[in-house]
Amino acid sequence: MSDRLVIAGAGHAAGQIVASLRQHDFDGQVVLVGDEPYLPYQRPPLSKKFLAGDMSVERLYFKPESFYDDANVERHCGKRIRAIDRDTHTLSINGASDIAYDKLVLAFGSRARRLQVDGEDLERVHYLRSIADVEAIRADMESSRRLVIVGAGYIGLEVAAVARQAGLDVTVVEMADRVMSRVVSPEISDFYQIEHANQGVKLRLSTGVSTLAGKKRVKAVVTSEGEKIPADLVVIGVGIVPNTELASAAGLEVDNGIVVDDHCRTADPDIYAVGDCTMHPNAIYGRMLRLESVHNALEQAKTAAANICGEDVAYCQVPWFWSDQYDLKLQIAGLSQSYDDVIIRGNPAERSFSCLYLHEGRLIAVDAINAPRDFMQSKVLIAERALLAAEGLADVDIQLKELAA
């Protein structure tokens, strides 16, 4: 194996590809191209410890610079890819020479979804997706008293928790009728709504945003109901958009993500794709998925690297996610969208419990709050498509693995 492998994108998945290539003794040349001036880094801490000031930039890095030096990785940080030419096997780079490849891995990731309202471009209005975003938010937090967050998903609620602990007055505006509605059940939403209210967060649910008011700097968020919420700072967290435009322009199939097979290959045998930007098959759930998940990015990266190195490895994983808010660790295993029964295991008042999602008696997902044992055991049971005995599921003294039929 002596191919020139180019990794387009420099996020978490890109760092894992380099690590996995080394494990497989890849002897070709590796080139890494990313549009941020940083080595591949972890994004989950951005809205948690990094925002709180408890983590340095260097600690965010997936691997230190010496790792890439030792692996002889040619790095092009702060370079934006303009186009992919599949005929000539080259990438066009803004302000730099073209980069040739024999094999190409697209690890483009995703970007923050923009809020399409007047005032979205005012000063002190922020999105949170990068190191630069968080550094700007932190700087403005120091001189702010009132923060308004648009969106009550993971990012919005994690920012709310950090901001409240920093002493800011926090209001969260959410169009849905409950928090984290896209990923958890009403039972879990209710728990987190109570928690944030107890911490002093003001929630405006079933409420849209009509305008961000101000001349040069944002001064208020005007809701769809006409309420004017004063704001010294606004953080918008209304989802992400996969970065698929370059793949589409190159003629690759895109359907809410770059379409790949279970080996992380696109229809072009010389191009692979991994992470947030991909739409891939999942045998456990029997459908195509696009996942916004570090676990997915890492595991797809491992799969792509193995296949590039001549192995025959299929990607089949139980998706999992997590969120840290205050002293609560939410760990989600599986996808709950098609559940027909839900069981609360444990006592929410004790701040350690799980929500089990079943479909025709099979465990398909678990939301575990400060309950790591349930989370770990559920991943195995979901992968096995295990039938669970209904009796005893709510009893925390019985381990989940003991209830599999």
Side-chain angles (χ1 to χ4, degrees), residues 15 29 84 135 145 150 161 215 395 401:
Q29 184 178 11
I84 302 166
E135 289 176 337
R145 183 172 63 85
V150 181
K215 293 184 179 178
D395 188 345
K401 63 183 180 181

Side-chain angles (χ1 to χ4, degrees), residues 178-180 184-194 339 341-344 348 353-357 367 369:
R178 57 188 179 88
V179 304
M180 296 188 291
V184 301
S185 67
E187 291 83 355
I188 299 296
S189 293
D190 288 346
F191 175 82
Y192 274 91
Q193 286 165 201
I194 292 170
Y339 73 91
D341 193 14
V342 59
I343 294 173
I344 299 298
F353 69 102
S354 297
C355 185
L356 312 182
Y357 301 93
D367 297 339
I369 298 173

Side-chain angles (χ1 to χ4, degrees), residues 361-362 381 384-390 393 400-405:
R362 297 185 189 278
L381 296 173
E384 295 174 346
R385 303 191 72 249
L387 283 166
L388 297 184
L393 277 180
L400 283 178
K401 63 183 180 181
E402 297 173 6
L403 297 168

Side-chain angles (χ1 to χ4, degrees), residues 127-271:
Y127 295 85
L128 195 161
R129 190 63 187 163
S130 68
I131 289 173
D133 292 339
V134 178
E135 289 176 337
I137 293 169
R138 276 201 316 220
D140 284 347
M141 282 177 63
E142 293 177 0
S143 58
S144 297
R145 183 172 63 85
R146 299 166 299 188
L147 166 64
V148 177
I149 298 167
V150 181
Y154 291 147
I155 294 294
L157 295 186
E158 288 169 1
V159 171
V162 171
R164 279 302 299 142
Q165 290 169 321
L168 274 69
D169 180 274
V170 178
T171 302
V172 177
V173 180
E174 168 58 50
M175 286 189 66
D177 61 358
R178 57 188 179 88
V179 304
M180 296 188 291
S181 61
R182 195 165 63 91
V183 292
V184 301
S185 67
E187 291 83 355
I188 299 296
S189 293
D190 288 346
F191 175 82
Y192 274 91
Q193 286 165 201
I194 292 170
E195 177 66 27
H196 279 278
N198 288 341
Q199 295 286 350
V201 175
K202 295 180 280 292
L203 295 170
R204 301 287 193 274
L205 302 177
S206 301
T207 303
V209 172
S210 64
T211 308
L212 302 181
K215 293 184 179 178
K216 184 177 180 182
R217 175 187 296 182
V218 70
K219 294 296 183 182
V221 174
V222 181
T223 72
S224 54
E225 297 180 352
E227 180 184 7
K228 194 172 185 178
I229 305 172
D232 306 310
L233 170 65
V234 173
V235 175
I236 299 170
V238 290
I240 63 174
V241 179
N243 293 322
T244 61
E245 289 81 3
L246 289 174
S248 181
L252 296 173
E253 183 182 359
V254 170
D255 181 10
N256 186 36
I258 303 168
V259 176
V260 297
D261 64 15
D262 60 0
H263 286 56
C264 298
R265 286 185 301 243
T266 69
D268 185 323
D270 292 330
I271 301 180

Side-chain angles (χ1 to χ4, degrees), residues 239-307:
I240 63 174
V241 179
N243 293 322
T244 61
E245 289 81 3
L246 289 174
S248 181
L252 296 173
E253 183 182 359
V254 170
D255 181 10
N256 186 36
I258 303 168
V259 176
V260 297
D261 64 15
D262 60 0
H263 286 56
C264 298
R265 286 185 301 243
T266 69
D268 185 323
D270 292 330
I271 301 180
Y272 293 73
V274 298
D276 287 5
C277 65
T278 68
M279 177 69 82
H280 63 275
N282 184 285
I284 295 170
Y285 291 96
R287 65 180 189 270
M288 298 291 287
L289 300 176
R290 188 179 68 78
L291 298 173
E292 301 163 7
S293 157
V294 169
H295 166 253
N296 175 66
L298 294 178
E299 294 302 321
Q300 281 195 312
K302 294 176 185 177
T303 301
N307 287 303

